Amino acid sequence: MNQDELKQLVGTAAVDFVKDGMVLGLGTGSTAKYMVDALGKKIKEEHLNIVGVPTSERTKKHANSLGITTKSMDDVDHIDLTIDGADQIDKNFQGIKGGGASHLREKIVAINSTKNIWIVDKSKMVDKFGSFPIPIEVIPYGSRQLFKRLKEKGYHPKFRMDEKKHVITDSSNWVIDLDIHEIDNPRQLATDLEHMTGIVEHGLFLDIVNTVIVGRDSGPQIIQVR
Ligand code: 5RP
């Protein structure tokens, strides 16, 4: 199976975890899009009562186009389950997210969810981080100075651009990708980034996921993490 087929496989498999009456966090990205497709179908076929909390404007639009009711994080009092993609998952089931510039809302939704499922194709499973840049969402004001400080720390920052314009997040911020080749201690890196003024959120998702569904040629592999 190619990567896209594996993404579709896990996106479809994930909706087996959806039960009637749930408030569901809806992730962002190409894998999550397959999950939203499958969810729309399941809601229609099984006449389910589901409220989705989208992690991006993109996902909201897609979910609504399929007839899925959505609410904002602030209009629900809890989220039962969030299903989202990931850019990489290491051997300790820590994750990198934000390849789609949505990690701020994704993290807000994830930490307010009772359970989190990540759906990934097999290429996202790695031993150790280092090959995928860590996205950080930054306040545009003063970001050139922040960029310099990140460079001095050896984090190899790069503004994320679309053609010649800064990529703008749903919260009107910019994204910097940190191309750090050796990440021996993700926790230490996360703490360091959390202490830097101007960074709104980093893409390291530590101790968050409960279940990982990996797309393999033999079928979806379900891993219970915590
Ligand atoms: C968006 C994300 C996505 O979940 C991540 O980039 C994976 O995307 P895809 O499923 O398209 O590979 O974190 O901010």
Side-chain angles (χ1 to χ4, degrees):
M1 273 190 261
N2 65 33
Q3 191 185 25
D4 215 45
E5 288 166 337
L6 293 173
K7 287 181 180 198
Q8 186 165 18
L9 182 80
V10 291
T12 307
V15 300
D16 285 348
F17 288 80
V18 175
K19 303 272 174 284
D20 194 21
M22 275 186 165
V23 178
L24 208 59
L26 306 176
T28 295
S30 54
T31 319
K33 192 164 185 277
Y34 283 124
M35 178 276 294
V36 175
D37 286 339
L39 179 67
K41 196 162 169 258
K42 185 178 164 104
I43 291 173
K44 273 206 183 89
E45 285 174 1
E46 299 177 25
H47 308 286
L48 302 181
N49 181 20
I50 298 288
V51 171
V53 179
T55 54
S56 64
E57 293 303 320
R58 231 184 317 160
T59 296
K60 181 179 185 320
K61 221 169 150 186
H62 182 53
N64 291 157
S65 77
L66 299 172
I68 302 172
T69 306
T70 57
K71 284 190 180 177
S72 141
M73 181 74 251
D74 290 307
D75 294 329
V76 295
D77 56 11
H78 75 287
I79 298 176
D80 296 295
L81 170 68
T82 288
I83 305 172
D84 201 350
D87 294 302
Q88 280 195 336
I89 301 175
D90 77 1
K91 64 172 189 291
N92 299 314
F93 299 101
Q94 309 295 21
I96 298 176
K97 290 183 48 55
S102 301
H103 61 278
L104 171 60
R105 289 196 187 181
E106 288 171 336
K107 201 179 274 187
I108 292 171
V109 170
I111 62 149
N112 286 294
S113 301
T114 307
K115 294 268 180 206
N116 281 279
I117 295 178
W118 286 345
I119 46 177
V120 290
D121 66 84
K122 61 184 178 182
S123 72
K124 309 279 187 72
M125 302 302 288
V126 297
D127 202 36
K128 197 175 154 185
F129 294 147
S131 54
F132 193 91
I134 309 289
I136 54 173
E137 178 158 340
V138 304
I139 299 279
Y141 182 85
S143 59
R144 272 183 65 195
Q145 312 308 325
L146 173 65
F147 187 94
K148 275 195 239 163
R149 282 185 283 135
L150 291 163
K151 205 168 172 180
E152 280 160 19
K153 282 175 177 275
Y155 288 167
H156 304 284
K158 205 170 162 194
F159 279 109
R160 196 180 295 180
M161 311 296 283
D162 184 5
E163 310 256 306
K164 289 201 165 129
K165 289 197 178 123
H166 282 277
V167 166
I168 299 175
T169 69
D170 284 340
S171 302
S172 306
N173 294 314
W174 290 350
V175 175
I176 294 177
D177 291 300
L178 306 177
D179 204 359
I180 310 171
H181 299 293
E182 283 289 309
I183 303 177
D184 293 320
N185 192 336
R187 211 174 287 280
Q188 199 174 37
L189 175 61
T191 306
D192 189 33
L193 297 173
E194 281 154 21
H195 285 99
M196 292 183 76
T197 303
I199 297 179
V200 185
E201 194 52 80
H202 58 75
L204 285 162
F205 280 48
L206 307 181
D207 305 331
I208 282 182
V209 77
N210 301 97
T211 306
V212 176
I213 308 180
V214 188
R216 301 203 181 273
D217 296 314
S218 52
Q221 179 194 11
I222 297 172
I223 307 170
Q224 291 300 344
V225 178
R226 54 178 65 83

PDB file of all heavy atoms in Angstrom, residues 31 36-37 47 58-59 62 92 99 105 109 116 121-122 141-142 162 165 171 175 197 202 220:
ATOM      1  N   THR A  31      -4.165  12.835   7.115  1.00  0.00           N
ATOM      2  CA  THR A  31      -4.638  11.591   7.735  1.00  0.00           C
ATOM      3  C   THR A  31      -5.943  11.857   8.492  1.00  0.00           C
ATOM      4  O   THR A  31      -6.912  11.098   8.377  1.00  0.00           O
ATOM      5  CB  THR A  31      -3.573  11.017   8.692  1.00  0.00           C
ATOM      6  OG1 THR A  31      -2.285  11.153   8.084  1.00  0.00           O
ATOM      7  CG2 THR A  31      -3.825   9.564   9.016  1.00  0.00           C
ATOM      8  N   VAL A  36     -12.126  12.233   9.277  1.00  0.00           N
ATOM      9  CA  VAL A  36     -13.342  13.062   9.237  1.00  0.00           C
ATOM     10  C   VAL A  36     -14.297  12.535   8.153  1.00  0.00           C
ATOM     11  O   VAL A  36     -15.508  12.456   8.371  1.00  0.00           O
ATOM     12  CB  VAL A  36     -12.986  14.556   9.032  1.00  0.00           C
ATOM     13  CG1 VAL A  36     -14.248  15.403   8.868  1.00  0.00           C
ATOM     14  CG2 VAL A  36     -12.162  15.080  10.221  1.00  0.00           C
ATOM     15  N   ASP A  37     -13.737  12.117   7.027  1.00  0.00           N
ATOM     16  CA  ASP A  37     -14.570  11.508   5.968  1.00  0.00           C
ATOM     17  C   ASP A  37     -15.323  10.288   6.515  1.00  0.00           C
ATOM     18  O   ASP A  37     -16.532  10.147   6.331  1.00  0.00           O
ATOM     19  CB  ASP A  37     -13.699  11.020   4.800  1.00  0.00           C
ATOM     20  CG  ASP A  37     -13.175  12.164   3.946  1.00  0.00           C
ATOM     21  OD1 ASP A  37     -13.768  13.253   3.986  1.00  0.00           O
ATOM     22  OD2 ASP A  37     -12.165  11.964   3.243  1.00  0.00           O
ATOM     23  N   HIS A  47     -26.852   7.107  12.398  1.00  0.00           N
ATOM     24  CA  HIS A  47     -27.659   8.179  13.015  1.00  0.00           C
ATOM     25  C   HIS A  47     -27.110   8.566  14.385  1.00  0.00           C
ATOM     26  O   HIS A  47     -27.843   8.572  15.384  1.00  0.00           O
ATOM     27  CB  HIS A  47     -29.144   7.747  13.129  1.00  0.00           C
ATOM     28  CG  HIS A  47     -29.690   7.256  11.825  1.00  0.00           C
ATOM     29  ND1 HIS A  47     -29.996   8.105  10.779  1.00  0.00           N
ATOM     30  CD2 HIS A  47     -29.936   6.009  11.369  1.00  0.00           C
ATOM     31  CE1 HIS A  47     -30.422   7.403   9.755  1.00  0.00           C
ATOM     32  NE2 HIS A  47     -30.386   6.116  10.076  1.00  0.00           N
ATOM     33  N   ARG A  58      -9.559  24.762   8.753  1.00  0.00           N
ATOM     34  CA  ARG A  58      -9.612  23.810   7.629  1.00  0.00           C
ATOM     35  C   ARG A  58     -10.492  22.608   7.969  1.00  0.00           C
ATOM     36  O   ARG A  58     -11.377  22.203   7.215  1.00  0.00           O
ATOM     37  CB  ARG A  58      -8.180  23.306   7.400  1.00  0.00           C
ATOM     38  CG  ARG A  58      -7.699  23.405   5.987  1.00  0.00           C
ATOM     39  CD  ARG A  58      -6.322  22.804   5.848  1.00  0.00           C
ATOM     40  NE  ARG A  58      -5.391  23.148   6.916  1.00  0.00           N
ATOM     41  CZ  ARG A  58      -4.295  22.446   7.177  1.00  0.00           C
ATOM     42  NH1 ARG A  58      -4.004  21.352   6.501  1.00  0.00           N
ATOM     43  NH2 ARG A  58      -3.468  22.823   8.145  1.00  0.00           N
ATOM     44  N   THR A  59     -10.239  22.039   9.143  1.00  0.00           N
ATOM     45  CA  THR A  59     -10.997  20.852   9.565  1.00  0.00           C
ATOM     46  C   THR A  59     -12.458  21.206   9.812  1.00  0.00           C
ATOM     47  O   THR A  59     -13.361  20.439   9.486  1.00  0.00           O
ATOM     48  CB  THR A  59     -10.344  20.231  10.817  1.00  0.00           C
ATOM     49  OG1 THR A  59      -9.033  19.789  10.454  1.00  0.00           O
ATOM     50  CG2 THR A  59     -11.134  19.050  11.353  1.00  0.00           C
ATOM     51  N   HIS A  62     -14.243  21.341   6.531  1.00  0.00           N
ATOM     52  CA  HIS A  62     -14.416  20.006   5.970  1.00  0.00           C
ATOM     53  C   HIS A  62     -15.522  19.241   6.723  1.00  0.00           C
ATOM     54  O   HIS A  62     -16.403  18.638   6.099  1.00  0.00           O
ATOM     55  CB  HIS A  62     -13.077  19.253   6.027  1.00  0.00           C
ATOM     56  CG  HIS A  62     -13.138  17.887   5.422  1.00  0.00           C
ATOM     57  ND1 HIS A  62     -13.605  17.655   4.147  1.00  0.00           N
ATOM     58  CD2 HIS A  62     -12.816  16.669   5.927  1.00  0.00           C
ATOM     59  CE1 HIS A  62     -13.566  16.357   3.892  1.00  0.00           C
ATOM     60  NE2 HIS A  62     -13.098  15.741   4.959  1.00  0.00           N
ATOM     61  N   ASN A  92       9.247   6.120  22.610  1.00  0.00           N
ATOM     62  CA  ASN A  92       8.557   6.324  23.891  1.00  0.00           C
ATOM     63  C   ASN A  92       7.147   6.899  23.711  1.00  0.00           C
ATOM     64  O   ASN A  92       6.535   7.358  24.669  1.00  0.00           O
ATOM     65  CB  ASN A  92       9.383   7.267  24.774  1.00  0.00           C
ATOM     66  CG  ASN A  92      10.749   6.684  25.077  1.00  0.00           C
ATOM     67  OD1 ASN A  92      10.862   5.506  25.435  1.00  0.00           O
ATOM     68  ND2 ASN A  92      11.801   7.476  24.908  1.00  0.00           N
ATOM     69  N   GLY A  99       3.213  20.003  11.529  1.00  0.00           N
ATOM     70  CA  GLY A  99       3.579  20.040  10.117  1.00  0.00           C
ATOM     71  C   GLY A  99       2.542  20.817   9.306  1.00  0.00           C
ATOM     72  O   GLY A  99       2.846  21.389   8.266  1.00  0.00           O
ATOM     73  N   ARG A 105      -3.682  24.902  18.412  1.00  0.00           N
ATOM     74  CA  ARG A 105      -5.064  24.457  18.693  1.00  0.00           C
ATOM     75  C   ARG A 105      -5.108  22.952  18.944  1.00  0.00           C
ATOM     76  O   ARG A 105      -5.880  22.469  19.769  1.00  0.00           O
ATOM     77  CB  ARG A 105      -6.000  24.835  17.540  1.00  0.00           C
ATOM     78  CG  ARG A 105      -6.228  26.337  17.496  1.00  0.00           C
ATOM     79  CD  ARG A 105      -7.416  26.679  16.646  1.00  0.00           C
ATOM     80  NE  ARG A 105      -7.505  28.126  16.488  1.00  0.00           N
ATOM     81  CZ  ARG A 105      -8.455  28.748  15.811  1.00  0.00           C
ATOM     82  NH1 ARG A 105      -9.392  28.041  15.209  1.00  0.00           N
ATOM     83  NH2 ARG A 105      -8.464  30.059  15.715  1.00  0.00           N
ATOM     84  N   VAL A 109      -6.724  21.366  22.319  1.00  0.00           N
ATOM     85  CA  VAL A 109      -7.798  20.355  22.261  1.00  0.00           C
ATOM     86  C   VAL A 109      -7.318  19.049  22.909  1.00  0.00           C
ATOM     87  O   VAL A 109      -8.032  18.434  23.708  1.00  0.00           O
ATOM     88  CB  VAL A 109      -8.267  20.143  20.796  1.00  0.00           C
ATOM     89  CG1 VAL A 109      -9.187  18.943  20.671  1.00  0.00           C
ATOM     90  CG2 VAL A 109      -8.968  21.405  20.280  1.00  0.00           C
ATOM     91  N   ASN A 116      -6.718  10.492  23.834  1.00  0.00           N
ATOM     92  CA  ASN A 116      -6.177  10.935  22.551  1.00  0.00           C
ATOM     93  C   ASN A 116      -5.717   9.731  21.734  1.00  0.00           C
ATOM     94  O   ASN A 116      -4.968   8.887  22.235  1.00  0.00           O
ATOM     95  CB  ASN A 116      -4.975  11.853  22.776  1.00  0.00           C
ATOM     96  CG  ASN A 116      -5.407  13.259  23.143  1.00  0.00           C
ATOM     97  OD1 ASN A 116      -5.749  14.057  22.272  1.00  0.00           O
ATOM     98  ND2 ASN A 116      -5.418  13.553  24.445  1.00  0.00           N
ATOM     99  N   ASP A 121       0.716   6.733   9.302  1.00  0.00           N
ATOM    100  CA  ASP A 121       1.246   5.654   8.476  1.00  0.00           C
ATOM    101  C   ASP A 121       2.593   5.239   9.052  1.00  0.00           C
ATOM    102  O   ASP A 121       3.193   5.986   9.829  1.00  0.00           O
ATOM    103  CB  ASP A 121       1.365   6.096   7.013  1.00  0.00           C
ATOM    104  CG  ASP A 121       2.397   7.176   6.841  1.00  0.00           C
ATOM    105  OD1 ASP A 121       3.594   6.834   6.709  1.00  0.00           O
ATOM    106  OD2 ASP A 121       2.033   8.372   6.875  1.00  0.00           O
ATOM    107  N   LYS A 122       3.060   4.062   8.684  1.00  0.00           N
ATOM    108  CA  LYS A 122       4.251   3.465   9.316  1.00  0.00           C
ATOM    109  C   LYS A 122       5.500   4.348   9.229  1.00  0.00           C
ATOM    110  O   LYS A 122       6.394   4.274  10.077  1.00  0.00           O
ATOM    111  CB  LYS A 122       4.524   2.077   8.733  1.00  0.00           C
ATOM    112  CG  LYS A 122       4.800   2.117   7.232  1.00  0.00           C
ATOM    113  CD  LYS A 122       4.973   0.740   6.635  1.00  0.00           C
ATOM    114  CE  LYS A 122       5.193   0.915   5.130  1.00  0.00           C
ATOM    115  NZ  LYS A 122       5.325  -0.264   4.364  1.00  0.00           N
ATOM    116  N   TYR A 141       5.481  39.874  16.392  1.00  0.00           N
ATOM    117  CA  TYR A 141       6.216  40.994  16.983  1.00  0.00           C
ATOM    118  C   TYR A 141       7.512  40.490  17.650  1.00  0.00           C
ATOM    119  O   TYR A 141       7.476  39.631  18.526  1.00  0.00           O
ATOM    120  CB  TYR A 141       5.343  41.712  18.024  1.00  0.00           C
ATOM    121  CG  TYR A 141       6.032  42.905  18.640  1.00  0.00           C
ATOM    122  CD1 TYR A 141       6.000  44.152  18.024  1.00  0.00           C
ATOM    123  CD2 TYR A 141       6.745  42.778  19.831  1.00  0.00           C
ATOM    124  CE1 TYR A 141       6.648  45.240  18.568  1.00  0.00           C
ATOM    125  CE2 TYR A 141       7.396  43.856  20.383  1.00  0.00           C
ATOM    126  CZ  TYR A 141       7.348  45.094  19.749  1.00  0.00           C
ATOM    127  OH  TYR A 141       7.999  46.162  20.300  1.00  0.00           O
ATOM    128  N   GLY A 142       8.620  41.008  17.219  1.00  0.00           N
ATOM    129  CA  GLY A 142       9.909  40.654  17.825  1.00  0.00           C
ATOM    130  C   GLY A 142      10.452  39.310  17.360  1.00  0.00           C
ATOM    131  O   GLY A 142      11.446  38.815  17.913  1.00  0.00           O
ATOM    132  N   ASP A 162       5.225  30.536   2.637  1.00  0.00           N
ATOM    133  CA  ASP A 162       4.417  30.019   1.542  1.00  0.00           C
ATOM    134  C   ASP A 162       4.686  30.979   0.387  1.00  0.00           C
ATOM    135  O   ASP A 162       4.267  32.134   0.465  1.00  0.00           O
ATOM    136  CB  ASP A 162       2.942  30.042   1.963  1.00  0.00           C
ATOM    137  CG  ASP A 162       2.058  29.415   0.907  1.00  0.00           C
ATOM    138  OD1 ASP A 162       2.595  28.878  -0.087  1.00  0.00           O
ATOM    139  OD2 ASP A 162       0.827  29.482   1.072  1.00  0.00           O
ATOM    140  N   LYS A 165       5.602  34.660   1.409  1.00  0.00           N
ATOM    141  CA  LYS A 165       4.866  35.199   2.564  1.00  0.00           C
ATOM    142  C   LYS A 165       4.964  34.247   3.757  1.00  0.00           C
ATOM    143  O   LYS A 165       4.996  33.028   3.569  1.00  0.00           O
ATOM    144  CB  LYS A 165       3.392  35.376   2.199  1.00  0.00           C
ATOM    145  CG  LYS A 165       3.140  36.501   1.220  1.00  0.00           C
ATOM    146  CD  LYS A 165       1.660  36.880   1.245  1.00  0.00           C
ATOM    147  CE  LYS A 165       1.399  38.023   0.304  1.00  0.00           C
ATOM    148  NZ  LYS A 165       0.400  37.713  -0.702  1.00  0.00           N
ATOM    149  N   SER A 171      -4.410  31.404  14.626  1.00  0.00           N
ATOM    150  CA  SER A 171      -4.368  32.414  15.694  1.00  0.00           C
ATOM    151  C   SER A 171      -3.553  33.628  15.267  1.00  0.00           C
ATOM    152  O   SER A 171      -3.074  34.396  16.119  1.00  0.00           O
ATOM    153  CB  SER A 171      -3.809  31.800  16.977  1.00  0.00           C
ATOM    154  OG  SER A 171      -4.595  30.706  17.354  1.00  0.00           O
ATOM    155  N   VAL A 175       5.103  30.734  11.998  1.00  0.00           N
ATOM    156  CA  VAL A 175       5.707  29.451  12.383  1.00  0.00           C
ATOM    157  C   VAL A 175       7.201  29.483  12.063  1.00  0.00           C
ATOM    158  O   VAL A 175       7.604  29.963  11.003  1.00  0.00           O
ATOM    159  CB  VAL A 175       5.044  28.269  11.640  1.00  0.00           C
ATOM    160  CG1 VAL A 175       5.749  26.952  11.934  1.00  0.00           C
ATOM    161  CG2 VAL A 175       3.565  28.170  11.992  1.00  0.00           C
ATOM    162  N   THR A 197      10.452  33.708  25.585  1.00  0.00           N
ATOM    163  CA  THR A 197       9.382  34.683  25.323  1.00  0.00           C
ATOM    164  C   THR A 197       9.193  34.865  23.820  1.00  0.00           C
ATOM    165  O   THR A 197      10.179  34.994  23.091  1.00  0.00           O
ATOM    166  CB  THR A 197       9.740  36.023  25.990  1.00  0.00           C
ATOM    167  OG1 THR A 197       9.941  35.770  27.376  1.00  0.00           O
ATOM    168  CG2 THR A 197       8.651  37.063  25.809  1.00  0.00           C
ATOM    169  N   HIS A 202       5.137  24.997  21.173  1.00  0.00           N
ATOM    170  CA  HIS A 202       6.019  24.162  20.351  1.00  0.00           C
ATOM    171  C   HIS A 202       5.290  22.875  19.964  1.00  0.00           C
ATOM    172  O   HIS A 202       4.259  22.522  20.551  1.00  0.00           O
ATOM    173  CB  HIS A 202       7.332  23.855  21.087  1.00  0.00           C
ATOM    174  CG  HIS A 202       7.113  23.173  22.408  1.00  0.00           C
ATOM    175  ND1 HIS A 202       6.753  21.851  22.503  1.00  0.00           N
ATOM    176  CD2 HIS A 202       7.185  23.636  23.685  1.00  0.00           C
ATOM    177  CE1 HIS A 202       6.621  21.528  23.780  1.00  0.00           C
ATOM    178  NE2 HIS A 202       6.868  22.601  24.518  1.00  0.00           N
ATOM    179  N   PRO A 220      -4.207  -2.139  10.112  1.00  0.00           N
ATOM    180  CA  PRO A 220      -3.943  -1.158  11.175  1.00  0.00           C
ATOM    181  C   PRO A 220      -3.437  -1.833  12.454  1.00  0.00           C
ATOM    182  O   PRO A 220      -4.041  -2.794  12.925  1.00  0.00           O
ATOM    183  CB  PRO A 220      -5.306  -0.507  11.411  1.00  0.00           C
ATOM    184  CG  PRO A 220      -6.313  -1.370  10.762  1.00  0.00           C
ATOM    185  CD  PRO A 220      -5.630  -2.321   9.836  1.00  0.00           C
TER     186      PRO A 220
END
